[in-house]
Amino acid sequence: DAKTTQPNSMESNEEEPVHLPCNHSTISGTDYIHWYRQLPSQGPEYVIHGLTSNVNNRMASLAIAEDRKSSTLILHRATLRDAAVYYCILRATLDSNYQLIWGAGTKLIIKP
Amino acid sequence: DAGVIQSPRHEVTEMGQEVTLRCKPISGHDYLFWYRQTMMRGLELLIYFNNNVPIDDSGMPEDRFSAKMPNASFSTLKIQPSEPRDSAVYFCASSGDSFNEKLFFGSGTQLSVL
């Protein structure tokens, strides 16, 4: 099964950009890269996803390496409300059924 | 849409009792997932359904756990009998049917088995 590797935790200052890395060296050609985040006492929420090209939305940007073995979630201007655990996930097929394989996540700490 | 709705939000029970967790997915979603989250093991997929049919239940810990989806708008996860090690937050999530679809999670049920 394709797996992801993320740092356990990262710190950043408020109002500065944050780059959260994820390695997925065993990714296959049809696996989408998804990012979710989980705020304290809440369920995970969707942030962004992509396949090959870089993606932008109102929450973040996703930069995908050319060989797709790694990706980076970019928060352009972190706020205290962005403090959460960020999960990098591959949405893959396994025998024609969909799988969502979760990594351990990165705990993002925002310093005021 | 109100999103994925789970009930109850909190459940405290005694060892040996039956526990039933409930989930209403987002209307029109084809997939429904049950996850369990603990500090030690993180997020674990227990089972998922496609069009009300269980597809993969390999994550269900043991026979004490069972899940049903009698229709497209309702699913249950039952633990009978419950044990203290079942204490965790249980999440339900739903999504549409494609690689491009995102998961929507409910607020979770905090289960404490004493």
Coordinates of all heavy atoms in Angstrom, one line a residue, chain A residues 30 32 34 36 38 41-44 46 49 87 91-93 97-100 102, chain B residues 9 31 35 37 43 48 55-56 91 95-103 105-106:
Chain A
T30 N -2.3 6.7 -10.5 CA -3.6 7.1 -10.4 C -4.0 7.6 -9.0 O -5.1 7.9 -8.7 CB -4.6 5.9 -10.7 OG1 -4.3 4.8 -9.9 CG2 -4.5 5.5 -12.2
Y32 N -4.4 10.1 -6.1 CA -4.6 11.5 -5.8 C -3.9 11.8 -4.5 O -4.0 11.0 -3.6 CB -6.0 12.0 -5.8 CG -6.6 12.3 -7.2 CD1 -6.9 11.3 -8.1 CD2 -6.8 13.6 -7.5 CE1 -7.4 11.7 -9.3 CE2 -7.3 14.0 -8.8 CZ -7.6 13.0 -9.7 OH -8.1 13.3 -10.9
H34 N -4.2 14.0 -1.3 CA -5.2 14.8 -0.5 C -4.5 15.4 0.7 O -3.7 14.7 1.4 CB -6.4 14.0 -0.1 CG -7.3 13.7 -1.2 ND1 -8.7 14.0 -1.2 CD2 -7.2 13.0 -2.4 CE1 -9.3 13.6 -2.3 NE2 -8.4 13.0 -3.0
Y36 N -5.8 17.0 4.5 CA -6.8 17.3 5.4 C -6.2 17.9 6.7 O -5.0 17.7 7.0 CB -7.6 16.1 5.8 CG -8.5 15.5 4.7 CD1 -8.0 14.8 3.7 CD2 -9.9 15.7 4.8 CE1 -8.8 14.4 2.7 CE2 -10.7 15.3 3.8 CZ -10.1 14.6 2.7 OH -10.9 14.1 1.7
Q38 N -7.0 18.7 11.0 CA -7.9 18.4 12.1 C -7.6 19.4 13.3 O -6.6 19.3 13.9 CB -7.7 16.9 12.6 CG -8.8 16.5 13.7 CD -8.7 15.0 14.0 OE1 -7.7 14.4 13.8 NE2 -9.7 14.5 14.6
S41 N -10.6 18.7 18.9 CA -12.0 18.3 19.2 C -12.9 18.3 18.0 O -14.1 18.4 18.1 CB -12.6 19.1 20.3 OG -11.8 19.0 21.5
Q42 N -12.3 18.3 16.8 CA -13.2 18.3 15.6 C -12.8 17.1 14.7 O -11.7 16.5 14.8 CB -13.0 19.6 14.8 CG -13.6 20.8 15.6 CD -13.6 22.0 14.7 OE1 -13.6 22.0 13.5 NE2 -13.5 23.2 15.3
G43 N -13.6 16.8 13.7 CA -13.3 15.8 12.7 C -12.4 16.4 11.7 O -12.3 17.7 11.5
P44 N -11.6 15.6 11.0 CA -10.8 16.2 9.9 C -11.6 16.9 8.9 O -12.7 16.6 8.6 CB -10.1 14.9 9.3 CG -10.2 13.9 10.4 CD -11.5 14.2 11.1
Y46 N -11.3 18.8 4.9 CA -10.6 18.8 3.6 C -9.9 20.2 3.5 O -10.4 21.2 3.8 CB -11.6 18.6 2.5 CG -11.0 18.9 1.1 CD1 -10.3 17.9 0.4 CD2 -11.3 20.1 0.5 CE1 -9.9 18.2 -0.9 CE2 -10.8 20.4 -0.8 CZ -10.1 19.4 -1.4 OH -9.6 19.7 -2.7
H49 N -6.5 19.0 -2.8 CA -6.0 17.8 -3.3 C -5.5 18.1 -4.8 O -5.9 19.1 -5.4 CB -7.0 16.7 -3.3 CG -8.1 16.8 -4.3 ND1 -9.2 17.7 -4.1 CD2 -8.3 16.2 -5.5 CE1 -10.0 17.6 -5.1 NE2 -9.5 16.7 -6.0
Y87 N -2.8 16.3 7.7 CA -2.6 14.9 7.2 C -2.4 15.0 5.7 O -3.2 15.6 5.0 CB -3.8 14.0 7.5 CG -4.1 13.7 9.0 CD1 -4.9 14.5 9.7 CD2 -3.4 12.7 9.6 CE1 -5.2 14.2 11.1 CE2 -3.6 12.4 10.9 CZ -4.5 13.2 11.7 OH -4.7 12.9 13.0
R91 N -5.3 9.0 -2.1 CA -6.5 8.4 -2.4 C -6.3 7.5 -3.5 O -6.0 7.9 -4.7 CB -7.6 9.4 -2.7 CG -8.9 8.7 -2.9 CD -10.1 9.5 -2.5 NE -11.3 8.6 -2.4 CZ -12.5 9.0 -2.3 NH1 -12.8 10.3 -2.1 NH2 -13.5 8.2 -2.2
A92 N -6.3 6.2 -3.2 CA -5.8 5.2 -4.2 C -6.9 4.1 -4.4 O -7.8 4.0 -3.7 CB -4.6 4.5 -3.6
T93 N -6.7 3.4 -5.5 CA -7.5 2.3 -5.8 C -6.8 1.0 -5.4 O -5.6 0.9 -5.5 CB -7.9 2.2 -7.2 OG1 -6.7 2.1 -8.0 CG2 -8.8 3.3 -7.7
N97 N -11.5 -0.8 -5.7 CA -12.1 -0.2 -4.6 C -11.3 1.0 -4.1 O -10.1 0.9 -4.1 CB -12.4 -1.1 -3.5 CG -13.4 -2.2 -3.9 OD1 -14.4 -1.9 -4.5 ND2 -13.1 -3.4 -3.5
Y98 N -12.0 2.0 -3.7 CA -11.2 3.2 -3.3 C -10.7 3.0 -1.9 O -11.3 2.5 -1.0 CB -12.2 4.4 -3.3 CG -12.6 4.8 -4.7 CD1 -13.9 4.6 -5.0 CD2 -11.7 5.3 -5.6 CE1 -14.4 5.0 -6.3 CE2 -12.1 5.6 -6.9 CZ -13.5 5.4 -7.2 OH -13.9 5.8 -8.5
Q99 N -9.5 3.5 -1.7 CA -8.8 3.5 -0.4 C -8.3 4.9 0.0 O -8.0 5.7 -0.9 CB -7.6 2.5 -0.3 CG -8.0 1.1 -0.6 CD -8.7 0.5 0.5 OE1 -8.5 0.9 1.7 NE2 -9.5 -0.6 0.3
L100 N -8.3 5.2 1.2 CA -7.7 6.5 1.7 C -6.8 6.1 2.8 O -7.2 5.7 3.8 CB -8.8 7.4 2.2 CG -8.5 8.9 2.2 CD1 -8.3 9.4 0.8 CD2 -9.7 9.6 2.8
W102 N -4.1 7.0 5.4 CA -3.7 8.1 6.2 C -2.3 7.9 6.8 O -1.9 6.9 7.2 CB -4.7 8.2 7.4 CG -6.0 8.6 7.0 CD1 -7.0 7.8 6.4 CD2 -6.6 9.9 7.1 NE1 -8.1 8.5 6.2 CE2 -7.9 9.8 6.5 CE3 -6.2 11.1 7.5 CZ2 -8.8 10.8 6.5 CZ3 -7.1 12.2 7.4 CH2 -8.4 12.0 6.9
Chain B
R9 N -23.1 12.6 20.5 CA -21.8 13.3 20.5 C -20.9 12.7 21.6 O -19.7 12.6 21.3 CB -22.0 14.8 20.7 CG -20.8 15.6 20.5 CD -20.4 15.7 19.1 NE -19.0 16.1 18.9 CZ -18.6 17.4 18.8 NH1 -19.5 18.3 18.8 NH2 -17.4 17.7 18.6
Y31 N -20.2 6.9 -0.9 CA -19.3 6.2 0.0 C -19.6 6.7 1.5 O -19.7 7.9 1.7 CB -17.9 6.4 -0.3 CG -17.4 5.6 -1.5 CD1 -17.7 6.0 -2.8 CD2 -16.7 4.5 -1.3 CE1 -17.2 5.3 -3.9 CE2 -16.3 3.7 -2.4 CZ -16.5 4.1 -3.7 OH -16.1 3.4 -4.8
Y35 N -14.4 5.5 11.0 CA -13.0 5.6 11.5 C -13.0 5.6 13.0 O -14.0 6.1 13.6 CB -12.4 6.9 11.0 CG -11.9 6.9 9.6 CD1 -12.7 7.4 8.6 CD2 -10.6 6.5 9.2 CE1 -12.3 7.4 7.3 CE2 -10.2 6.6 7.9 CZ -11.0 7.1 6.9 OH -10.6 7.1 5.6
Q37 N -10.4 6.9 16.2 CA -9.2 7.7 16.5 C -8.8 7.6 18.0 O -9.6 7.8 18.9 CB -9.4 9.1 16.1 CG -8.1 9.9 16.2 CD -8.2 11.4 15.7 OE1 -9.2 12.0 15.9 NE2 -7.2 11.8 15.0
L43 N -5.8 7.7 13.4 CA -7.0 7.4 12.7 C -6.9 6.1 12.0 O -6.0 5.8 11.2 CB -7.2 8.5 11.6 CG -8.1 9.7 11.9 CD1 -8.0 10.7 10.9 CD2 -9.6 9.2 12.1
Y48 N -15.9 0.5 5.3 CA -16.5 1.5 4.4 C -17.5 0.8 3.5 O -17.4 -0.4 3.2 CB -15.5 2.3 3.6 CG -14.8 1.7 2.5 CD1 -15.3 1.9 1.2 CD2 -13.6 1.0 2.6 CE1 -14.7 1.4 0.1 CE2 -13.0 0.5 1.5 CZ -13.5 0.7 0.3 OH -12.8 0.2 -0.8
I55 N -17.8 -2.8 1.7 CA -16.8 -3.2 0.7 C -15.6 -3.8 1.4 O -15.0 -4.8 1.0 CB -16.4 -2.0 -0.1 CG1 -17.6 -1.4 -0.8 CG2 -15.3 -2.3 -1.1 CD1 -18.3 -2.4 -1.8
D56 N -15.1 -3.1 2.5 CA -13.9 -3.6 3.2 C -14.1 -3.4 4.7 O -14.2 -2.3 5.1 CB -12.7 -2.8 2.7 CG -11.4 -3.2 3.3 OD1 -11.4 -4.2 4.2 OD2 -10.4 -2.7 2.9
F91 N -15.4 8.4 14.1 CA -15.9 9.4 13.1 C -16.5 8.6 12.0 O -16.1 7.5 11.6 CB -14.6 10.1 12.5 CG -14.0 11.1 13.5 CD1 -12.9 10.9 14.1 CD2 -14.7 12.3 13.7 CE1 -12.3 11.8 15.0 CE2 -14.1 13.3 14.5 CZ -12.9 13.0 15.2
S95 N -18.4 10.5 1.0 CA -17.9 11.2 -0.2 C -18.6 10.7 -1.4 O -19.3 9.7 -1.4 CB -16.4 10.9 -0.3 OG -16.1 9.6 -0.8
G96 N -18.4 11.4 -2.5 CA -18.9 11.0 -3.8 C -18.1 9.9 -4.4 O -17.1 9.4 -3.8
D97 N -18.4 9.6 -5.6 CA -17.8 8.4 -6.2 C -16.8 8.8 -7.3 O -17.1 8.7 -8.5 CB -18.9 7.5 -6.8 CG -18.4 6.3 -7.4 OD1 -17.2 5.9 -7.1 OD2 -19.1 5.6 -8.2
S98 N -15.7 9.3 -6.9 CA -14.6 9.5 -7.9 C -13.3 9.8 -7.2 O -13.3 10.1 -6.0 CB -14.9 10.6 -8.9 OG -14.3 11.8 -8.5
F99 N -12.2 9.7 -7.8 CA -10.9 10.0 -7.2 C -10.9 11.5 -6.8 O -10.1 11.8 -5.9 CB -9.8 9.8 -8.3 CG -9.5 8.4 -8.6 CD1 -9.8 7.9 -9.8 CD2 -8.8 7.6 -7.6 CE1 -9.5 6.6 -10.1 CE2 -8.5 6.3 -7.9 CZ -8.8 5.8 -9.2
N100 N -11.7 12.3 -7.4 CA -11.6 13.7 -7.2 C -12.5 14.2 -6.1 O -12.6 15.4 -5.8 CB -12.1 14.4 -8.5 CG -11.2 15.6 -8.9 OD1 -10.1 15.7 -8.3 ND2 -11.7 16.4 -9.7
E101 N -13.1 13.2 -5.4 CA -14.1 13.6 -4.4 C -13.4 13.7 -3.0 O -12.6 12.9 -2.7 CB -15.2 12.6 -4.3 CG -16.1 12.5 -5.6 CD -17.0 13.7 -5.7 OE1 -17.2 14.4 -4.7 OE2 -17.5 13.9 -6.8
K102 N -13.8 14.7 -2.3 CA -13.2 14.9 -0.9 C -14.1 14.2 0.1 O -15.3 14.0 -0.1 CB -13.0 16.3 -0.6 CG -14.2 17.2 -0.8 CD -13.8 18.7 -0.8 CE -15.0 19.6 -1.1 NZ -14.6 21.0 -1.2
L103 N -13.5 13.9 1.2 CA -14.2 13.3 2.3 C -14.8 14.4 3.2 O -14.1 15.4 3.5 CB -13.3 12.4 3.2 CG -12.9 11.0 2.7 CD1 -12.0 10.4 3.8 CD2 -14.2 10.2 2.6
F105 N -16.3 14.8 7.0 CA -16.3 14.1 8.3 C -17.4 14.7 9.2 O -17.7 15.9 9.1 CB -15.0 14.2 9.0 CG -14.0 13.3 8.5 CD1 -13.2 13.5 7.4 CD2 -13.7 12.1 9.2 CE1 -12.3 12.7 6.9 CE2 -12.7 11.2 8.8 CZ -12.0 11.5 7.6
G106 N -18.0 13.8 10.0 CA -18.9 14.3 11.1 C -18.1 14.8 12.2 O -16.8 14.7 12.2

